[in-house]
Amino acid sequence: MATITGIQPRVLVRASGGPRYVVALAVDALGTGLLRPFLLLYGVTVLRLSAPVTGTAMTVGIVAGLVCMPAVGRWLDRGARSTVVAASMLVRVLGVALLLAAPEGHIWLFATASLFLGIGNQAWPAAHAALVATVAHGRERDTALAGARALRNAALGVGALLATACMAGGATALRALAAVTALAYLAAAALAWSVHVHTHPAEAAPAKDRDDEPAPRMLALLAANVIYVFCLNVPEIALPLVLVTQLHASPVWPAVVFVSNTALVVTLQVPVTVLMSRFSRRTVLALSGVVLAASYLGFLAATSLGHGWATAAVAAVSVVCTIGEIIYAGSATALVTAIAPTHVLGRALARFQLSTGFGLAVSPAVITTLAPHGPAALWGSLAAATLLSASAVATEKDQATRFSGCRPRARAGL
């Protein structure tokens, strides 16, 4: 199997959709970083809503956004690519506009805004992966997906830092951040649409087969992915909960863990993905589960140490957890794009995003429910579930299809 032995920036940019599309990704992520970490504060500070009501509205918006995924998948399978990416950004412009228009105490406008933001956030990953799969193939595509994730994390971090610096301005600053976010989404949508990437599904497979053959079921992969994505909320939810409420550490420690996680993803996502390209994607995905499970057991061991050592040990183990996250992120979507026939790629990616979104939605509740029962309940359960998921991924057989070798013809103004 061919591998990429070196990382050439020009090749990576071209495989990622071209310079304009890469700029669109950066601008979109920068806007998201400006607002997403402070959306709860916007509801509480600007709209004067209670924290429980605000949090519930945000959760409902995220979950309801998953309902759009089947339609997104069908749209992608009709050949749309950059148009769907641009639409996922534009719908978030509408969400931010509703935030700005909402008067104090108006929960329904805030909930509707959260819904549109949720739709955009859920639709974007599948649309982006489909676009990259159209302009790049093989391991070059995997590296492009990894590069986009690294870029997105970097831009999210910059946006969050800028927003943090503006927080002293109170409600006025939050409204200004929301307005800038809307402009960023609008600019990103225009750039993404301008690359004009689409496919010709009529040439990818005969009409009868496009109508009759369903997307790969991938049941084990989808079920495992629900558990795998818990790792994305470990640095944001599980570790702050453990460090501050159980180990009574300074709030600085969760911040250090989060910044380290972001920095490692930005710097290592592409190199690790390239390094792992010598193995099959399914093997790498299973390996990521083993690494994640090992890190969870490491957290269990670290929390059993004395308070003088436990905090530093948890922070050290978080690096292993981040490595597992990086391996997972570099192989999961790439595996779906590799095993799904071209004419059902959109539906396959939509199903995968449904499992991702569901896992991200339920993981905070699961983590906060298990944590009060002690480290063994939290980390032992996560380790066991992740190992079981890794085993399911390793043993699942890819659905054979005579269309697996089809490549779409793309038109791209790159």
Side-chain angles (χ1 to χ4, degrees):
M1 186 172 294
T3 62
I4 298 174
T5 56
I7 304 172
Q8 301 178 11
R10 289 184 179 180
V11 174
L12 186 57
V13 168
R14 185 176 67 250
S16 300
R20 276 177 290 161
Y21 185 69
V22 170
V23 173
L25 295 182
V27 173
D28 175 73
L30 183 66
T32 300
L34 286 172
L35 181 64
R36 191 170 71 180
F38 305 103
L39 185 57
L40 179 66
L41 288 179
Y42 190 97
V44 173
T45 304
V46 178
L47 302 184
R48 306 297 181 183
L49 303 172
S50 68
V53 168
T54 304
T56 300
M58 291 173 59
T59 300
V60 170
I62 293 171
V63 175
L66 291 171
V67 177
C68 76
M69 290 313 301
V72 170
R74 289 191 295 270
W75 191 5
L76 289 169
D77 285 338
R78 287 198 292 268
R81 291 293 186 266
S82 56
T83 303
V84 185
V85 175
S88 73
M89 297 170 176
L90 284 175
V91 75
R92 283 179 284 177
V93 174
L94 180 57
V96 179
L98 289 175
L99 280 182
L100 292 170
E104 286 188 12
H106 204 298
I107 180 58
W108 291 112
L109 269 181
F110 179 81
T112 306
S114 298
L115 171 62
F116 284 120
L117 290 170
I119 290 173
N121 290 333
Q122 298 295 347
W124 180 86
H128 164 70
L131 186 148
V132 173
T134 301
V135 299
H137 305 293
R139 295 298 181 171
E140 187 178 79
R141 175 195 59 215
D142 298 10
T143 307
L145 289 169
R149 183 171 191 259
L151 174 65
R152 186 168 178 81
N153 273 265
L156 283 169
V158 171
L161 286 175
L162 291 174
T164 301
C166 297
M167 285 301 293
T172 301
L174 284 173
R175 286 190 178 276
L177 286 173
V180 173
T181 298
L183 293 175
Y185 286 154
L186 189 61
L191 285 168
W193 178 83
S194 72
V195 301
H196 299 303
V197 176
H198 62 273
T199 67
H200 300 276
E203 299 174 11
K208 181 180 184 301
D209 293 315
R210 291 199 316 273
D211 294 337
D212 296 344
E213 185 170 349
R217 298 181 70 186
M218 308 181 298
L219 294 181
L221 175 60
L222 296 179
N225 188 54
V226 173
I227 304 300
Y228 270 96
V229 296
F230 274 53
C231 72
L232 302 180
N233 275 330
V234 165
E236 296 186 26
I237 296 174
L239 293 186
L241 188 64
V242 169
L243 287 169
V244 175
T245 65
Q246 296 181 2
L247 300 181
H248 308 291
S250 166
V252 172
W253 280 100
V256 169
V257 168
F258 183 79
V259 171
S260 299
N261 173 271
T262 302
L264 287 171
V265 169
V266 171
T267 57
L268 296 181
Q269 185 66 69
V270 172
V272 169
T273 301
V274 171
L275 180 65
M276 292 290 105
S277 65
R278 67 191 66 188
F279 307 107
S280 74
R281 299 174 182 88
R282 188 172 290 278
T283 298
V284 174
L285 184 56
L287 173 64
S288 71
V290 175
V291 175
L292 288 171
S295 73
Y296 298 152
L297 294 176
F299 288 131
L300 177 59
T303 53
S304 66
L305 301 175
H307 286 295
W309 294 96
T311 299
V314 167
V317 174
S318 70
V319 174
V320 180
C321 185
T322 299
I323 296 299
E325 173 193 333
I326 289 170
I327 300 173
Y328 156 70
S331 57
T333 303
L335 177 60
V336 175
T337 61
I339 64 177
T342 297
H343 57 285
V344 291
L345 176 61
R347 278 169 283 174
L349 287 169
R351 290 179 181 180
F352 185 74
Q353 180 58 30
L354 275 170
S355 71
T356 299
F358 179 75
L360 289 174
V362 303
S363 56
V366 172
I367 290 171
T368 53
T369 299
L370 290 174
H373 296 284
L378 174 59
W379 302 118
S381 298
L382 287 179
T386 305
L387 280 176
L388 182 63
S389 299
S391 175
V393 167
T395 56
E396 185 180 37
K397 300 298 182 182
D398 294 337
Q399 178 178 323
T401 171
R402 62 185 181 277
F403 298 111
S404 60
C406 293
R407 298 297 187 192
R409 292 178 59 189
R411 294 181 59 191
L414 306 180

